Amino acid sequence: MEYTTLGSTGMEVSKICLGCMSFGSGREWMLDEAESRDLIERAIDLGVNFFDTANVYSAGESEEILGDVLAEYDRDEQVVATKVRFPGADDHRNARGLSRKTIEQELSNSLDRLGMDTVDLYQIHRWDYDTPIETTLRALDDAVRRGQVRHVGASSMWAYQFQRALAISDREGLARFETMQNLYHLTYREEEREMLPLCDREDVGVIPWSPLGAGYLARPHEEFTSTTRGVHENENAEVPYDEGSGSQEINERVQELAADYGVTMAQIGMAWHFENEYTTAPILGTSSIEHLEEAVEALEIDLSASDMAYLEEPYEPVPVYGHE
């Protein structure tokens, strides 16, 4: 395993963050408690010390499972992140959004499920258009001052929104967002226009979600919808993997380089992130120990500058998505 500094937090995290959305019973492709435990324990064996979950994942089951497993390890060695914006175990009018009430009650619930007094990184799970960002930032700052949260982060939003939030935090002396969890992979690079240069300038750690395009970069493009997850992404997430952007050609070039290096397509997709100037630690969401092990092995792949250019060259702009 390799480690890196997470933005301005000073925390040292593994260059792979284990995404925990697959833990629980929310979807047919998710892992039960025993299967999740096996995956988390193998991740720790491999040197992963960075875990990302959310109150909304399987209505809080993900947090419970992660907390139960990590309780058997040295908590000081782990970096745990969770999120707030969508409802957790209970869904009612004040279980969603980023009001002070929602943040305080959902944070308390998340800490209870995790079995922790403090979470290392607490992230807003998208922008809340109904709550002034000043209200959200003050509630988060208070959580930091109470010792319930060490650092705060944000996720997919417009760059102007993120810049505004940072400016308000600086002006008011509030805890500022130190990480950005956004959608970013070889076939979706719209974040390179504004958000990623902004994060670089502000020393914000970048932890992309869906670094392999929900599996689109892990298999030949014609096989994407043959998987349960692929069908779900195409039908529900409205992601234009096959609509322009040079995605099919990029997919084919990933296949080609994978054959040249004698590795899997997914390993090439992850290696691109490891060589990328913007990515701090991609969030790997997987339900397979084998795929986890392959991702760790991908740290040893040394893509050349010409390889990177070859993978990136076919890309064409696509509509922005992932912000809602």
Side-chain angles (χ1 to χ4, degrees), residues 118-322:
T118 305
V119 67
D120 299 301
L121 177 63
Y122 199 47
Q123 305 155 101
I124 62 169
H125 208 171
R126 308 295 190 273
W127 189 266
D128 179 3
Y129 287 89
D130 295 323
T131 302
I133 187 61
E134 292 88 345
T135 298
T136 297
L137 290 170
R138 290 190 183 282
L140 293 172
D141 182 73
D142 286 343
V144 172
R145 294 175 187 273
R146 287 193 302 269
Q148 292 178 298
V149 171
R150 291 193 170 96
H151 303 278
V152 295
S155 65
S156 299
M157 63 178 63
W158 298 100
Y160 82 86
Q161 294 170 323
F162 194 48
Q163 177 62 79
R164 180 184 171 203
L166 294 174
I168 291 171
S169 292
D170 291 344
R171 184 189 70 204
E172 303 296 329
L174 304 173
R176 75 192 325 248
F177 293 130
E178 296 180 88
T179 59
M180 168 52 63
Q181 183 176 151
N182 54 348
L183 181 60
Y184 183 48
H185 52 75
L186 266 169
T187 54
Y188 183 77
R189 292 170 46 210
E190 297 308 299
E191 298 291 285
E192 292 177 1
R193 302 183 188 283
E194 295 183 354
M195 180 59 79
L196 294 178
L198 172 59
C199 290
D200 183 58
R201 188 189 73 191
E202 298 289 340
D203 196 18
V204 169
V206 175
I207 48 177
W209 55 274
S210 198
L212 296 175
Y216 180 76
L217 294 167
R219 58 186 57 80
H221 57 80
E222 62 270 16
E223 298 177 11
F224 180 53
T225 55
S226 68
T227 67
T228 303
R229 182 71 185 275
V231 171
H232 169 74
E233 292 296 319
N234 261 14
E235 293 182 352
N236 299 302
E238 299 180 354
V239 286
Y241 293 115
D242 296 313
E243 300 174 11
S245 80
S247 60
Q248 291 192 9
E249 185 172 352
I250 293 169
N251 182 286
E252 290 166 0
R253 293 190 182 196
V254 171
Q255 294 180 58
E256 181 183 335
L257 280 185
D260 290 344
Y261 277 87
V263 298
T264 67
M265 289 179 63
Q267 287 175 310
I268 293 296
M270 291 297 288
W272 177 81
H273 277 287
F274 299 144
E275 295 289 340
N276 190 289
E277 63 178 317
Y278 293 120
T279 301
T280 303
I283 299 173
L284 178 69
T286 182
S287 56
S288 164
I289 289 178
E290 179 184 0
H291 293 165
L292 169 64
E293 293 170 341
E294 289 177 352
V296 175
E297 291 170 1
L299 286 162
E300 300 176 4
I301 300 172
D302 186 17
L303 293 178
S304 67
S306 60
D307 289 334
M308 296 287 284
Y310 183 66
L311 291 170
E312 295 172 359
E313 187 272 333
Y315 185 79
E316 297 175 1
V318 297
V320 171
Y321 62 96

Side-chain angles (χ1 to χ4, degrees), residues 92-130:
H92 52 80
R93 292 182 183 276
N94 287 301
R96 58 181 64 230
L98 295 173
S99 68
R100 175 177 289 275
K101 177 176 174 60
T102 300
I103 288 172
E104 291 183 353
Q105 65 193 21
E106 288 302 314
L107 173 58
S108 177
N109 292 337
S110 288
L111 290 173
D112 285 345
R113 288 190 290 263
L114 288 164
M116 299 173 183
D117 296 323
T118 305
V119 67
D120 299 301
L121 177 63
Y122 199 47
Q123 305 155 101
I124 62 169
H125 208 171
R126 308 295 190 273
W127 189 266
D128 179 3
Y129 287 89
D130 295 323

Side-chain angles (χ1 to χ4, degrees), residues 6 11-13 49-51 75 77-81 120-121:
L6 182 60
M11 294 189 295
E12 292 293 311
V13 298
N49 76 336
F50 190 14
F51 303 88
R75 171 68 180 91
E77 295 182 6
Q78 314 304 329
V79 176
V80 177
D120 299 301
L121 177 63

